[in-house]
Amino acid sequence: AQLDEDGWAEDDEGFWTGFNAINDENIYDAYIFKPPPEDADAEQLGDDGTNSEDLSDTIQPESPAVVPTGKVPWILMTFIMTAEVIGNGVLSLPRAYARLGWIPAQLVLFGLYVITTHTGMLLFRQRNGQPQCRSYPALFLKIFGKAAYVYATLLVYLLLFMYAAAGVLVQATAWEAALPGLSLNYWIIIAAGISWLVLQIRSMKNVGFLSIIGVITIFIPIILSIVSIAGMVNSGSFERGEQVLFGNSFYEAVVAATDIIYAFAGHVVFLELMGQMRNPNHFPRSLYISQTVVYIVYAAVATSIYAIAGDADWLKSPFTTSLQDGPMKYIVQSLMIVHIAIGIAINGNILIRAFQNLIEPRLKELVAGRNDPGIPARAYDRTDYTIPAVIAWAIWSAIILALIALLIFLIPKFENLIGLTASIAASQTTLGWPPILDLHVFARSRSGAFGTWQNMASISDIVVAIFALVAGLAANIIDLVRA
């Protein structure tokens, strides 16, 4: 077919095809989709058998595959997006409030809710302009070139790695709180093993159903923890700490702000999640609902616990580990273990798949060579459940979790781990990259007062991102050294 200037073409049956070169060996990603009729029910898209879960298969342009949208409806995607961030994010917020004080904490939390919702919509706009780009690295390659692609790849997967590490650490601390007979290091190994079992569920749709359980198993322990902490303070067994309108230390306030940034930092996988949706145009529904639910939960939990306990020394991070011994503590920790394991399945799934796609084809060619000199080896598909594919996934997930356990041994404090993650990576992927892409692609085409407002909003996001990167990194390094 004759390609247009953007690399797309329409055939006689209404299918649109695009090819995107991904390396110097003339290997391409093929993207083919057929737009639905205008009167089609969006919730039924893909029932004609053309849907495929994996869109970015590396193939030759002579033999393209039909690769339209994914299989996850927007309601299920809302649960996935909520479960992905709320577990680790909410657990450090009471300590963040204690460091910031009442007024800065509320302002920072609401401000980041607004900013991150805006940057999420900016990513949606980019996806509409480049539907074949299903990840940050692919988008950077298309818009900025290979050097930007390498940088984005390193940062995105570093962030996903740190997310998974924070999840394993929270799970290990939950085990230690419930069964304190073993040291934290043993529980880290056990938590990594449980996460490995959960990660054997490779389908994002199956993970989506698990995310419903994940949302339930975070709300219940949060409520139980608030009730339990209130009882501990009211009984006089635990002293109530001080409450202040404004914190006393600038660097501690910056560390706390990066903890809140981390609590909203799901953007790193938004493009992948859009690609998994049955109708990606419904992504704004999932975004607005999940962001609002997350904000309400964050504000309610942090406000309640700070009002009850203040900056009490016995209040730990994660706050769910602060409960006194008894049945309530065991129930809360058990539910937290389930929730965190499910949360790891979302980010870990994407992380391991990327690692597998990078390494496995080269190993196959090194061991067995190419079956066809013109076609490179490929990693096993995520939907392939043959014995070799299952074994390969098990090996790659074990390697990733072993590296995660090693990192946690080096940085065993939850606040330090998420603070460094937020300042180094989340400040860019959540706050900085979406407005930079927006200005680069759309700024010149805008006009009038509304266009000016759009550009100024993106510039404001970039200013916040630069502050979070520079000041946040410096403050978290100081905090880590003091710890």
Side-chain angles (χ1 to χ4, degrees):
Q2 181 65 42
L3 302 182
D4 64 17
E5 61 181 3
D6 294 322
W8 293 86
E10 183 179 15
D11 67 13
D12 295 336
E13 297 181 356
F15 284 92
W16 284 82
T17 306
F19 296 108
N20 181 32
I22 60 173
N23 60 30
D24 293 330
E25 298 179 359
N26 204 31
I27 306 301
Y28 290 77
D29 275 346
Y31 305 91
I32 302 181
F33 69 94
K34 186 174 185 178
E38 293 183 0
D39 58 350
D41 183 354
E43 293 295 339
Q44 297 177 352
L45 294 180
D47 292 339
D48 57 359
T50 62
N51 269 348
S52 172
E53 184 167 356
D54 289 317
L55 306 191
S56 55
D57 292 330
T58 302
I59 56 178
Q60 290 294 325
E62 291 82 4
S63 57
V66 177
V67 282
T69 54
K71 301 178 181 179
V72 181
W74 73 268
I75 295 177
L76 198 58
M77 184 56 68
T78 303
F79 279 98
I80 292 176
M81 293 171 65
T82 303
E84 188 230 347
V85 298
I86 200 169
N88 289 342
V90 73
L91 299 177
S92 64
L93 289 186
R95 294 302 304 172
Y97 266 50
R99 285 181 159 185
L100 284 166
W102 275 118
I103 294 177
Q106 301 291 0
L107 291 176
V108 170
L109 184 65
F110 181 75
L112 286 171
Y113 160 64
V114 173
I115 292 173
T116 54
T117 303
H118 177 241
T119 56
M121 284 303 299
L122 294 181
L123 280 180
F124 175 68
R125 180 188 290 268
Q126 292 296 327
R127 181 264 164 199
N128 284 346
Q130 304 288 345
Q132 75 276 26
C133 296
R134 291 168 43 84
S135 66
Y136 261 134
L139 197 58
F140 271 55
L141 176 64
K142 181 73 174 179
I143 295 176
F144 298 122
K146 290 184 179 180
Y149 167 79
V150 173
Y151 176 73
T153 299
L154 291 174
L155 199 68
V156 162
Y157 295 114
L158 170 65
L159 182 55
L160 290 176
F161 183 83
M162 298 289 275
Y163 279 171
V168 172
L169 178 56
V170 171
Q171 190 185 150
T173 55
W175 278 109
E176 184 185 35
L179 302 170
L182 294 176
S183 70
L184 180 62
N185 288 343
Y186 288 107
W187 289 123
I188 289 171
I189 297 172
I190 293 171
I194 293 173
S195 300
W196 177 83
L197 290 174
V198 175
L199 281 168
Q200 304 317 300
I201 303 173
R202 293 178 283 164
S203 166
M204 188 58 72
K205 188 174 183 179
N206 292 337
V207 172
F209 289 118
L210 279 179
S211 68
I212 298 175
I213 301 174
V215 171
I216 295 172
T217 53
I218 188 61
F219 279 114
I220 294 176
I222 284 175
I223 294 171
L224 294 178
S225 295
I226 293 174
V227 172
S228 181
I229 290 173
M232 291 159 55
V233 173
N234 292 334
S235 68
S237 302
F238 291 82
E239 184 179 354
R240 188 193 308 271
E242 293 184 358
Q243 300 174 31
V244 295
L245 293 178
F246 298 91
N248 298 322
S249 170
F250 176 75
Y251 104 85
E252 287 191 356
V254 173
V255 171
T258 59
D259 289 350
I260 299 177
I261 292 172
Y262 176 89
F264 284 103
H267 296 54
V268 66
V269 295
F270 277 3
L271 291 167
E272 285 90 342
L273 295 181
M274 290 180 211
Q276 297 291 341
M277 294 185 71
R278 183 179 296 169
N279 185 351
N281 289 326
H282 287 169
F283 177 79
R285 301 180 186 180
S286 299
L287 176 69
Y288 289 135
I289 294 175
S290 63
Q291 285 279 108
T292 302
V293 169
V294 165
Y295 168 71
I296 292 173
V297 172
Y298 286 171
V301 172
T303 299
S304 299
I305 294 181
Y306 188 51
I308 293 168
D311 64 351
D313 293 335
W314 53 265
L315 188 65
K316 304 174 185 176
S317 181
F319 72 85
T320 51
T321 61
S322 303
L323 309 187
Q324 60 187 131
D325 293 338
M328 184 75 76
K329 181 176 183 178
Y330 301 132
I331 293 172
V332 167
Q333 303 312 323
S334 299
L335 292 172
M336 286 301 304
I337 289 167
V338 173
H339 169 78
I340 296 300
I342 293 173
I344 292 172
I346 300 172
N347 291 320
N349 194 294
I350 297 171
L351 172 65
I352 294 167
R353 181 63 180 168
F355 186 77
Q356 183 182 26
N357 284 336
L358 177 66
I359 305 296
E360 188 174 292
R362 291 167 173 79
L363 287 179
K364 287 182 177 180
E365 292 179 4
L366 182 64
V367 174
R370 290 188 179 182
N371 294 328
D372 185 331
I375 301 178
R378 296 173 55 192
Y380 289 109
D381 192 84
R382 185 161 33 190
T383 58
D384 184 353
Y385 283 92
T386 61
I387 293 178
V390 170
I391 293 175
W393 181 266
I395 292 173
W396 296 125
S397 54
I399 292 173
I400 291 294
L401 284 165
L403 294 174
I404 285 172
L406 179 61
L407 174 66
I408 298 172
F409 290 145
L410 298 175
I411 309 177
K413 190 177 178 182
F414 180 67
E415 287 177 294
N416 295 133
L417 184 61
I418 66 172
L420 286 172
T421 302
S423 58
I424 296 172
S427 60
Q428 299 180 61
T429 60
T430 300
L431 303 177
W433 288 358
I436 289 173
L437 289 165
D438 176 71
L439 292 174
H440 181 81
V441 175
F442 297 112
R444 294 181 181 179
S445 64
R446 291 172 177 153
S447 60
F450 183 67
T452 301
W453 179 90
Q454 288 178 298
N455 291 337
M456 291 303 298
S458 292
I459 291 172
S460 299
D461 293 343
I462 293 173
V463 171
V464 174
I466 293 173
F467 177 81
L469 175 61
V470 177
L473 181 58
N476 275 281
I477 290 175
I478 293 172
D479 200 47
L480 182 63
V481 171
R482 290 187 177 183

